Amino acid sequence: MLFQKEFSVSDIQTSAPAAATVSKNKSAFKPVHAIRGMNDILPPESALWEWLEEKVRTVMQQWSYRNVRTPVLEHTGLFVRGLGEVTDIVEKEMYSFQDRADKQGDADHLSLRPEGTAGVVRAVSEHSYLYDGGKRLYYIAPMFRRERPQRGRYRQFHQVGAEALGFAGPEVDAEMILLAHELWQQIGLKDVSLQINSLGQPSERQRHREALVAYFEAHQDQLDEDAKRRLHSNPLRILDTKNPAMQELAAQAPKLMDYLGEESLKHFEQVQAILRAQGVTWQINPRLVRGLDYYNLTVFEFVSEALGSQGTICGGGRYDYLIEQIGGKAAPAVGWAFGVERVLELIKEQDLVPAAPVPDVYAIVPEATALPQAMALLTALRRQGIKAQLHTSADSAQGMGSFKSQFKRADASGATWALVFGGDELDRGEVAVKALRHTQAQTSFALANVDALLAHLQAPEAQ
Ligand code: HAM
C-alpha cells in the first residue's frame, strides 16, 4: 500500500484533562514521544555529529565536491521510476501520502525521500545543471525509510552522499571509491572492507537475467516465497537472499561476470588498476547487487564486521541511465552514500570519539547588576574567537547563586578560565581572571583593555 489514510486535525486529541484531575506535580498532558525509529540528537552526542560533518566538509572541499540541497518531499513517482517499482524501498518502506487537493481538485502523491540520489538527479536535470559539463556534488541530509528499527537501522536516518554527474570514465568510479576511503582515513576508522562488483550494461544484464530465470525455474521447488515473487520481476535480487536455505542455490546460479562484454570488463579492470596503484584493497563480490535498480557497471560497498547485521556503512555505484529514466537529458553518473548513524556507531565502537567541546571562559557573576558589563565583555571576547559561557541562574528571583555554586558550575563546564565579575573588581573597572585547570595566580584586567585580557587568555604557557 503506497498511500496511507489522511488524518484530520480533529483526529488528534489536543485538549488537557480537567484541572481538578491534575495533581500539583504532574503535567496536565500525556507526554508526547518521538516517532519509533526517529531519534533526537542532543548534546553531547550532537557534538560528535558536528565533528563528523566538519570532517566531511573539509574532505569534500579538498576533492572539489560542492554542496547540494534538495527538498525532503518529492513526487512519489520520482522514486517509483528512479529506484524501481519492485525494490523493498518502493514496495514497502516509503512514507507516502496524498497531498491536499488544489483548487482544481488535483492532489499530488508525495513521499519523504528514502535516499538522496533521485532528488539530486531530478534537480540537476530540472536546472539543466550539466549544460557546461560534469559536476561533483555532495549532501548531508536526513532520509526516511519505514524499516523495522534496530541497531544501525532507523526510520529517519542521515546520509552523507557524493554524486559525480556527467562523467563516464572508470577514473570517476575509482575517484568515488577513493573519496570514501579517504574519509575513513581522516576519521580514523579501521577494519572497513571494500567489496566491488560490476553489473555490466543493460543488454548484458538482460542475457544474464534470461539465464538466471531459466536456472531458478529449473529449481522452482527450492525457491522461497520471496524468490518466487521476484523470479520474473527482479531475479537478480534473489542472489542477495538472506535465507540460508537458498544460499547454496544462489551461489551456483549463473554469474553476471560471465556475461559481461569486453568494454564492461575493461571498465571494471581500469577501476581496479587505479585502486591498486593507491594501495587500496578490495574483494570482488559477485553477489553484490545493491538494493536499488538504477545501477550499471561498477557497484561497491564498504562493510564493517563490528556492527552486526547492519554492517554496510556505505554503498554506491554507477547509474548511467537514471537521469534519462526520470526524463532528463541522458548523462552518465556515479555516486555513493554512507549512513551517518552507522559510521558514528563505528566511531564509538573503535574509541575514536573526540573530546567534547568546552568553553574557554566561564563568567561568574555574583550580582545581577553586573550582568550588563559582563555580557558586553563576553561579546567582545567572542568576537575575538574566545568561546565564552555566561553563568545563568535557573530562577532570577533567587539571585545569581553563591560564589561557591557558580565556581562549581564553572568547573563542570570544562572551561579553562573563570572571569569573575565581582562588585569590587567592577568598581575598579576590572574583571578578575582565575585559572581553573592550572596553577596560575589570579590576575585582574581593565574591562576597557580587551586586547591585554585576550593575550593573557591565549598565552601558550596558560594552555
Ligand atoms: P543505500 O545502500 O540504500 O544506497 O544506502 C546507503 C547507506 O545508507 C547504507 O549503506 C547505510 O549505511 C545507510 N542506511 C540505509 N538505510 C538505513 C537505515 N534505515 N538506517 C540507518 N542507515 C541506513 C543509497 O541510498 C544510494 N542513494 C547510494 C548512492 C548514491 N548510489 C549512488 N549514489
Side-chain angles (χ1 to χ4, degrees), residues 115 117 145 147 152 154 159 163 290 294-295 312-313 335 339:
E115 58 97 61
T117 311
R145 295 184 193 176
E147 298 193 77
Y154 308 101
Q159 282 185 344
E163 316 285 357
R290 310 273 304 128
Y294 49 60
Y295 295 107
T312 305
I313 58 169

Side-chain angles (χ1 to χ4, degrees), residues 49-82:
W49 285 67
E50 287 186 312
W51 170 84
L52 180 66
E53 287 162 8
E54 199 50 49
K55 294 264 180 207
V56 167
R57 292 203 171 92
T58 304
V59 171
M60 291 297 180
Q61 277 165 19
Q62 286 165 346
W63 289 59
S64 301
Y65 281 69
R66 292 166 68 190
N67 190 236
V68 60
R69 297 168 194 227
T70 63
V72 168
L73 271 180
E74 296 274 2
H75 289 283
T76 301
L78 171 68
F79 303 116
V80 176
R81 261 208 266 173

Side-chain angles (χ1 to χ4, degrees), residues 4 110 159 240 243 271 387 389 443:
Q4 295 159 354
L110 306 178
Q159 282 185 344
D240 204 20
N243 180 355
V271 173
K387 291 178 262 148
Q389 182 175 336
T443 40

Side-chain angles (χ1 to χ4, degrees), residues 80-195:
V80 176
R81 261 208 266 173
L83 316 191
E85 219 159 328
V86 209
T87 53
D88 280 352
I89 297 178
V90 170
E91 275 186 340
K92 50 190 182 199
E93 293 172 0
M94 286 211 292
Y95 285 97
S96 301
F97 62 96
Q98 192 145 7
D99 200 3
R100 288 171 206 271
D102 62 15
K103 285 204 180 89
Q104 286 73 45
D106 298 327
D108 293 328
H109 291 148
L110 306 178
S111 293
L112 286 173
R113 62 176 170 211
E115 58 97 61
T117 311
V120 168
V121 163
R122 181 204 46 71
V124 161
S125 84
E126 193 164 335
H127 300 282
S128 304
Y129 188 55
L130 303 181
Y131 78 100
D132 62 346
K135 297 286 186 315
R136 292 172 164 88
L137 301 171
Y138 82 94
Y139 48 87
I140 308 178
M143 307 292 162
F144 304 83
R145 295 184 193 176
R146 205 174 185 292
E147 298 193 77
R148 194 168 56 78
Q150 55 180 281
R151 181 185 181 204
R153 193 202 268 174
Y154 308 101
R155 290 179 169 180
Q156 174 173 334
F157 62 99
H158 298 75
Q159 282 185 344
V160 168
E163 316 285 357
L165 304 116
F167 305 105
E171 69 280 9
V172 188
D173 309 30
E175 177 179 292
M176 271 289 159
I177 294 172
L178 292 169
L179 171 63
H181 184 263
E182 178 63 14
L183 274 164
W184 317 143
Q185 306 303 305
Q186 291 301 323
I187 297 165
L189 282 188
K190 298 179 292 284
D191 303 329
V192 176
S193 62
L194 168 63
Q195 301 189 352

